[in-house]
Amino acid sequence: MSIEPPQTADLEDPLYYLKNMNTVVSWVVRHHGDLLTAAELRVLDQFLTLPTAPRALLVRMVMRTGELFRVDKLQYPELGVAQTDALAALIAGGWLDAAPALSIDQLFRLYTLGQLRPVFAPALQEAGASKTEPKGRMLALLQPRFPDPQPLADWLGPSAPPVVRLRHMALFDRVRLMFFGNLRQSWADFVLVELGHQRFEPVPLTPGSRAFRHRDEVDLYLAMHQCREWLDQGVPASEVWPQVPRSSDNAWLSSRRNRLLLELGRQAERQGERELALQAFGASGHREGRLKQLRLLERMKRHQQAWEIASQWHTQELSDAEAQGLARILKRVAARLGETPPPVTPEVTLETVTLTLPRPATGSVEYAVQAHLNRAEAPVFYVENTLINGLFGLLCWQTIFAPIPGAFFHPFHVGPADLTREDFVARRQALFDECFTRLADGSYRHQILQNYRAKQGIANPFVIWPVVTEEVLELALDCMPAVDLDRLFRRLLLNIREHRSGFPDLIRFRRGDDGGGRGYDMIEVKGPGDRLQDHQRRWLAFFAEEGIPASVCYVRWRDNGMTG
């Protein structure tokens, strides 16, 4: 059974952030309660029943960075005079520790140089340092002399502005993970955003579609997150490597582990741990890891091993960037070993045209070319990446929003969380096959138009509603053959992250009113001094190879009486 979507608060309510946090906690308790312990559920139930002011102050602290807060820095106008009593209630209720022991590092983060210098002047003098040392230098000198945490009063005396420590932060992080599906997003991504202005596709979030099936999978994610934080903090990769959790049969967790190993390999290589880097790249199933492994083998002059891996990989289906990188490696390694590299696809000749136009007073070069070429019988539209992506998104709408485990965590997703992961297509292969069957049997037009009208305004990662108008859509379906759409969509799915961009700026439709037949062509516009980017070249090469009509239009501005 699906769970009713939570409601979001109005930003005009001064306590909107509290209402949104209530939504998150209630959602996780209802949707993931079996993954929480009895003690955790009790804490969350107590949170939801706290009086308004203490609960609002607690949420404000949860949303901030860290667990330690100076009381004099907690100033929230919407709580007014109730804030003092709210703080006392949180301390009495065990939500805050009013007397935490502080390390010297924590002390220096919380207090200013002016507050610290008088206290540590004697210690600095004993260390032979100046009392005017900057804060960072001062901390470095004092750390060896004060290795142990102490209560605030022992550091700065009883008159220092008090500090409290937020308890249960680990539980709130666990709740945040189960709601967002990651720890990259902060509470502000939901709590401080008004979501009511945007419409989202309703995805049935059932127990069977959950990303986390068992509590130990949540623990596994948290362990991987800790490893990534260690790497970000500069902990040597050789120390992090033994802490990397085991692989999982959970597809989306395995994908995250692959990215963790990719980053570990990068850092190991930078730190001179080449063997560890090779091991990490090899264990990572991430597509970038394969090229990095081969390039590192090259640098280590292990050409035979590189050749064997690259030759095997060469037979697989690759994105353009992968194929390009692999071809370069194979060519270099083959020369080293006296082997014959696989044949290189000859570079295609791109169709080009040059226009000399009057420089427009306003507007871009693309709009200038659009205006110059536009005809009633052959209208031109400035669509860039929006049209092909939009047609794909409308045809495959139900597949994109299929309730695959690990794809959707809450009702406010613009698209699936695994959209750019390597197994995005494989996990939905049968559903995508149905979409391509529609292109083959002709039912695609009805499906696209039906979704366009039924889903109008609903967020979709491929559909930009203001640009994909019904006029453009109808013309595209009239003038673009299904076989071309099939080729375009299949290439898009080879690497969504890479292939969603690079499409030509303009598209010209031939209505067939003049008896010349229906058709279309795409036009990439380059103004003076502008050059084709790599991803644009790759799309244009694909068009040429597949016989899809496309060209590059180079524009010069008319000066001194020149005519075009």
Side-chain angles (χ1 to χ4, degrees):
M1 180 183 298
S2 62
I3 296 177
E4 289 297 316
Q7 300 300 308
T8 56
D10 185 342
L11 286 183
E12 293 184 4
D13 183 343
L15 294 177
Y16 68 94
Y17 61 88
L18 173 58
K19 294 183 179 180
N20 279 345
M21 179 66 88
N22 292 345
T23 288
V24 172
V25 172
S26 299
W27 170 263
V28 169
V29 168
R30 293 172 61 199
H31 198 54
H32 296 293
D34 59 314
L35 306 183
L36 296 165
T37 66
E40 290 168 339
L41 287 169
R42 279 196 301 273
V43 170
L44 295 178
D45 182 61
Q46 290 165 7
F47 166 80
L48 291 170
T49 56
L50 276 172
T52 297
R55 189 159 24 108
L57 179 58
L58 183 63
V59 170
R60 282 294 196 181
M61 297 171 76
V62 167
M63 289 164 53
R64 290 175 59 166
T65 301
E67 300 178 2
L68 293 166
F69 304 96
R70 279 176 50 173
V71 172
D72 61 329
K73 299 295 185 182
L74 298 173
Q75 300 294 331
Y76 299 109
E78 74 275 10
L79 299 181
V81 295
Q83 182 167 312
T84 301
D85 291 341
L87 185 70
L90 291 176
I91 293 171
W95 294 95
L96 301 176
D97 178 359
L102 305 177
S103 69
I104 193 168
D105 300 67
Q106 292 167 336
L107 189 74
F108 269 61
R109 283 198 295 272
L110 289 165
Y111 292 90
T112 67
L113 192 54
Q115 292 168 313
L116 295 167
R117 269 184 177 154
V119 175
F120 290 104
L124 288 170
Q125 188 174 11
E126 290 175 17
S130 167
K131 62 180 181 181
T132 60
E133 295 284 357
K135 196 174 186 182
R137 172 65 177 161
M138 184 174 160
L139 175 60
L141 289 168
L142 294 172
Q143 280 172 325
R145 301 173 66 85
F146 299 95
D148 300 320
Q150 301 181 62
L152 176 62
D154 291 353
W155 284 117
L156 301 183
S159 61
V163 169
V164 293
R165 183 191 297 275
L166 177 63
R167 290 178 170 144
H168 304 301
M169 194 61 201
L171 174 57
F172 281 104
D173 281 340
R174 187 177 286 264
V175 168
R176 179 161 59 99
L177 168 60
M178 288 190 286
F179 186 80
F180 285 118
N182 63 73
L183 287 171
R184 179 187 69 257
Q185 289 177 273
S186 70
W187 287 113
D189 290 318
F190 179 83
V191 177
L192 294 180
V193 175
E194 183 177 28
L195 298 169
H197 72 282
Q198 190 166 18
R199 295 173 58 208
F200 300 90
E201 176 70 11
V203 178
L205 295 169
T206 64
S209 67
R210 293 190 311 182
F212 296 113
R213 300 166 299 187
H214 312 289
R215 181 179 175 87
D216 62 354
E217 292 181 337
V218 183
D219 294 336
L220 178 62
Y221 185 103
L222 291 169
M224 289 192 291
H225 179 72
Q226 180 61 72
C227 288
R228 181 56 194 258
E229 287 208 321
W230 284 330
L231 291 172
D232 290 344
Q233 292 163 8
V235 176
S238 58
E239 295 181 21
V240 178
W241 174 252
Q243 307 303 319
V244 174
R246 69 192 185 285
S247 59
S248 169
D249 61 356
N250 183 312
W252 84 277
L253 285 176
S254 293
S255 176
R256 299 200 71 89
R257 184 175 184 271
N258 288 339
R259 292 202 294 279
L260 170 62
L261 291 174
L262 175 67
E263 182 58 28
L264 192 146
R266 285 171 173 159
Q267 298 210 23
E269 185 176 2
R270 286 196 292 268
Q271 292 162 6
E273 297 279 356
R274 287 183 157 189
E275 292 297 337
L276 175 57
L278 286 176
Q279 195 174 355
F281 289 146
S284 172
H286 197 284
R287 65 194 337 148
E288 290 183 34
R290 293 174 289 197
L291 280 175
K292 289 185 177 297
Q293 181 190 36
L294 291 172
R295 287 168 181 151
L296 181 53
L297 285 170
E298 270 196 282
R299 287 193 289 274
M300 296 171 71
K301 303 189 185 306
R302 288 159 60 168
H303 300 110
Q304 185 61 46
Q305 187 179 354
W307 174 259
E308 291 169 1
I309 294 172
S311 297
Q312 183 180 15
W313 187 30
H314 182 72
T315 62
Q316 301 175 23
E317 194 168 40
L318 308 173
S319 71
D320 287 346
E322 289 174 311
Q324 186 180 66
L326 181 59
R328 290 169 178 170
I329 290 172
L330 282 167
K331 181 178 180 180
R332 292 193 301 266
V333 174
R336 292 277 187 177
L337 298 175
E339 299 279 1
T340 303
V344 177
T345 303
E347 189 169 336
V348 298
T349 301
L350 304 179
E351 183 178 342
T352 64
V353 63
T354 300
L355 289 178
T356 303
L357 302 176
R359 188 187 298 272
T362 60
S364 67
V365 63
E366 291 85 2
Y367 284 116
V369 174
Q370 178 191 15
H372 177 77
L373 297 178
N374 193 55
R375 301 286 186 277
E377 68 280 7
V380 180
F381 298 87
Y382 185 5
V383 295
E384 202 171 10
N385 299 314
T386 60
L387 178 59
I388 305 304
N389 280 303
L391 288 165
F392 171 81
L394 291 168
L395 174 65
C396 303
W397 190 288
Q398 284 70 23
T399 300
I400 293 165
F401 290 100
I404 303 293
F408 299 94
F409 293 83
H410 53 77
F412 308 107
H413 281 285
V414 171
D418 63 340
L419 180 64
T420 57
R421 293 180 193 151
E422 294 192 332
D423 59 352
F424 173 77
V425 177
R427 298 176 67 206
R428 301 161 174 81
Q429 191 61 65
L431 295 173
F432 276 119
D433 288 344
E434 292 178 14
C435 296
F436 285 104
T437 297
R438 289 185 179 278
L439 286 168
D441 66 19
S443 62
Y444 70 97
R445 182 189 182 97
H446 173 76
Q447 180 74 6
I448 289 173
L449 291 174
Q450 182 182 53
N451 280 334
Y452 180 83
R453 289 156 187 162
K455 306 296 185 181
Q456 188 68 220
I458 295 176
N460 181 309
F462 294 95
V463 182
I464 308 300
W465 290 108
V467 181
V468 183
T469 64
E470 189 156 6
E471 179 191 11
V472 172
L473 203 60
E474 293 271 13
L475 281 167
L477 293 173
D478 286 344
C479 301
M480 299 182 74
V483 65
D484 287 5
L485 296 178
D486 185 291
R487 293 166 180 155
L488 292 166
F489 296 166
R490 289 185 189 277
R491 184 178 187 274
L492 177 61
L493 287 177
L494 279 178
N495 188 331
I496 290 173
R497 183 190 298 276
E498 179 185 322
H499 294 168
R500 268 200 298 183
S501 61
F503 290 100
D505 301 302
L506 309 179
I507 189 163
R508 175 167 50 190
F509 297 113
R510 295 189 297 278
R511 300 177 187 271
D513 300 339
D514 57 358
R518 293 179 176 177
Y520 75 103
D521 62 299
M522 293 184 281
I523 305 163
E524 175 63 31
V525 177
K526 291 298 174 188
D530 197 4
R531 296 181 179 180
L532 289 171
Q533 303 299 309
D534 284 346
H535 64 313
Q536 294 172 332
R537 287 185 178 277
R538 289 193 285 264
W539 266 117
L540 288 164
F542 172 81
F543 298 148
E545 291 164 1
E546 297 293 331
I548 293 174
S551 61
V552 183
C553 175
Y554 292 99
V555 175
R556 298 182 300 177
W557 299 127
R558 182 181 302 146
D559 292 310
N560 301 323
M562 290 178 60
T563 57

